[in-house]
Amino acid sequence: MSLQCPSIFAEGSELCRAIDHYCERTSPDLDAELVNAFTNAAFLVGAVIVWRLQASRPKSRASVLIRALIVAMAVVGLGSFLFHTVGTRWAEWGDVIPILVFMLLYLWFVLTYLFGWPALWKAPALAIFCIATFVLEAWVPGNVLWGGALYMPTILTFIAIGITLKRRGHPAADTMIGAIAVFFMAFTARSSDMSVCTSFPLGTHFLWHLLNATLIYLLVRLAILEVPR
């Protein structure tokens, strides 16, 4: 038994397969991606900052949902830390699922408090987003965008949200557009990692963590400041 392949998984299970998408990992050791692992602290720092901001604000209709978003932000960092230390397929799901949960929670927030959609519309929209993400994860080869194809529904969804808010003249529009710009920078860093290995062995994946933590911080801060009281 090992941390990479716990006894709950069958010997030779696909879940125990080693994942090596990143420049920094040159061995299966737990400390092979120290920079990629510990830059996930940015998510925890961001979570603390927005938790304190939320605590300083009057309670709103979205208080419980916002706290759930903050907890999800912290779990994203912990899940990514797990993946970049253990480096196996099961740990990769520990990285991907918290991000998906955060996105589903955030979409529910946007559709509820910024767009005013009824539950009858929101549930199918979230189901479509979830299905699209899992389909891309399952069907698109891991060497396409280095496993980043599953983020395409997220990128397209954020663009649609930003355009809609801008057309409506919503005060959150500029912040959302800024967040989209950060997302593109983060995704570029994630996708560029393997292509710079020869000239920069550390790679650029750690920038994905720092920029993604900034993105989620901006999104949660927007939720705290723009939610109707």
Side-chain angles (χ1 to χ4, degrees), residues 25-45:
R25 182 168 287 279
T26 57
S27 77
D29 297 337
L30 293 176
D31 61 352
E33 294 183 68
L34 287 177
V35 175
N36 283 347
F38 285 100
T39 46
N40 286 295
F43 292 96
L44 304 182
V45 172

Side-chain angles (χ1 to χ4, degrees), residues 13-227:
S13 169
E14 168 66 13
L15 292 172
C16 296
R17 178 170 61 86
I19 301 294
D20 183 8
H21 292 322
Y22 312 109
C23 289
E24 191 181 11
R25 182 168 287 279
T26 57
S27 77
D29 297 337
L30 293 176
D31 61 352
E33 294 183 68
L34 287 177
V35 175
N36 283 347
F38 285 100
T39 46
N40 286 295
F43 292 96
L44 304 182
V45 172
V48 170
I49 294 172
V50 288
W51 185 275
R52 294 181 64 179
L53 176 63
Q54 170 66 9
S56 69
R57 305 278 293 179
K59 284 190 176 181
S60 71
R61 293 176 291 160
S63 292
V64 173
L65 180 54
I66 289 171
R67 288 193 178 95
L69 286 167
I70 296 171
V71 172
M73 179 181 184
V75 175
V76 166
L78 295 174
S80 184
F81 176 83
L82 175 70
F83 175 47
H84 289 289
T85 50
V86 176
T88 57
R89 183 62 170 166
W90 73 263
E92 185 178 34
W93 281 109
D95 179 26
V96 171
I97 290 176
I99 295 174
L100 178 60
V101 170
F102 177 88
M103 274 305 303
L104 291 173
L105 289 172
Y106 201 81
L107 281 176
W108 189 268
F109 166 81
V110 169
L111 296 178
T112 302
Y113 296 103
L114 301 186
F115 290 0
W117 283 22
L120 190 62
W121 295 3
K122 290 183 291 187
L126 266 63
I128 292 170
F129 174 85
C130 193
I131 291 169
T133 299
F134 276 113
V135 166
L136 286 172
E137 165 64 18
W139 290 0
V140 177
N143 60 355
V144 176
L145 296 177
W146 290 273
L150 80 164
Y151 293 107
M152 295 312 297
T154 299
I155 293 173
L156 295 175
T157 299
F158 272 129
I159 291 173
I161 291 170
I163 291 173
T164 302
L165 291 175
K166 193 67 175 178
R167 285 181 173 176
R168 293 182 178 183
H170 196 285
D174 290 342
T175 301
M176 182 61 71
I177 291 171
I180 293 169
V182 173
F183 198 163
F184 273 104
M185 289 189 290
F187 193 75
T188 299
R190 189 187 194 283
S191 302
S192 302
D193 183 73
M194 292 298 288
S195 64
V196 303
C197 285
T198 54
S199 58
F200 188 55
L202 180 61
T204 58
H205 190 78
F206 72 96
L207 294 174
W208 158 259
H209 295 157
L210 299 177
L211 290 167
N212 203 25
T214 302
L215 164 68
I216 294 179
Y217 163 78
L218 290 173
L219 293 176
V220 177
R221 186 176 183 274
L222 180 153
I224 294 171
L225 298 180
E226 298 295 342
V227 66

